[in-house]
Amino acid sequence: GLNPEAVSVAYHNYQTDTDFFYNERSPMLVGSVTKVGVARLYADLIADGVMTFETELPYNEALFEAGAGPVTNGEKKASYPLYELFYNSLALSDNTAFNMLFSHYQQIYGNVQESLLNLSGLSFDQAEYTTNNMADAQMILNILLPVATEDKYSYILTSLSGNTDCLLYTSDAADDS
């Protein structure tokens, strides 16, 4: 059977503005949920004018990870714009695209895991949280709620929906500048 201690849940009901929690502060390996948090870190940089959706990140063969997506499986380019990396990482679960985002952030802006911890607004004193991809349900909820409600994160939602129009929109927006 399922061990109840191996389950961590944080749920927000937007209609009643209420939350439900179960083991919400138990650290667990969260895997690809981290992709949304990293996208949010970049969206904040874009909103602050530090980068744009068209900012190119260089490709590095060392960041290749087998799996799905055109960055992983397509013809390699010297660099990729953020909007492509966002979309491929979030909509297509392209781990190479995510690795590029993760590595660039880590090299330029600092420790990704610490940035995600700070983004959640919670305090953490457990060593488990310093390991990449470790989080608890409360932390994930705190990172995800603004993505669902704030306009500056709309591209993340569009990418998560798998809507390829977001690629056209961003390219058109770049043409208009």
Side-chain angles (χ1 to χ4, degrees):
L2 179 65
N3 175 358
E5 296 306 310
V7 175
S8 180
V9 177
Y11 169 79
H12 179 78
N13 183 321
Y14 288 94
Q15 294 181 340
T16 63
D17 197 32
T18 56
D19 298 316
F20 169 79
F21 298 104
Y22 179 78
N23 285 343
E24 70 275 8
R25 294 308 307 268
S26 298
M28 306 209 174
L29 188 62
V30 295
S32 286
V33 173
T34 304
K35 291 176 180 176
V36 180
V38 170
R40 187 172 158 205
L41 291 171
Y42 276 98
D44 288 343
L45 291 170
I46 291 167
D48 292 343
V50 175
M51 307 177 96
T52 70
F53 281 109
E54 291 76 28
T55 299
E56 301 254 339
L57 301 187
Y59 176 76
N60 179 340
E61 183 66 35
L63 301 175
F64 175 86
E65 184 176 338
V71 177
T72 295
N73 297 304
E75 186 174 328
K76 302 301 180 253
K77 301 185 218 175
S79 62
Y80 294 84
L82 281 178
Y83 70 88
E84 278 187 43
L85 295 173
F86 268 35
Y87 181 80
N88 291 319
S89 173
L90 296 170
L92 305 176
S93 198
D94 190 318
N95 288 329
T96 303
F98 173 72
N99 291 344
M100 290 175 65
L101 291 165
F102 188 98
S103 175
H104 180 79
Y105 190 94
Q106 188 103 343
Q107 289 174 4
I108 305 299
Y109 302 104
N111 185 289
V112 171
Q113 189 67 14
E114 286 178 18
S115 295
L116 292 173
L117 292 171
N118 291 335
L119 199 59
S120 76
L122 299 174
S123 63
F124 298 90
D125 56 0
Q126 295 173 310
E128 293 99 336
Y129 289 101
T130 62
T131 303
N132 289 337
N133 284 336
M134 290 299 286
D136 63 42
Q138 179 70 61
M139 178 182 167
I140 295 300
L141 182 66
N142 288 4
I143 290 171
L144 295 180
L145 278 175
V147 171
T149 58
E150 295 181 28
D151 287 343
K152 68 179 176 178
Y153 303 121
S154 63
Y155 190 80
I156 296 172
L157 288 179
T158 304
S159 293
L160 286 168
S161 75
N163 183 349
T164 57
D165 289 344
C166 67
L167 294 173
L168 296 174
Y169 166 78
T170 306
S171 294
D172 290 345
D175 293 341
D176 291 343
S177 352

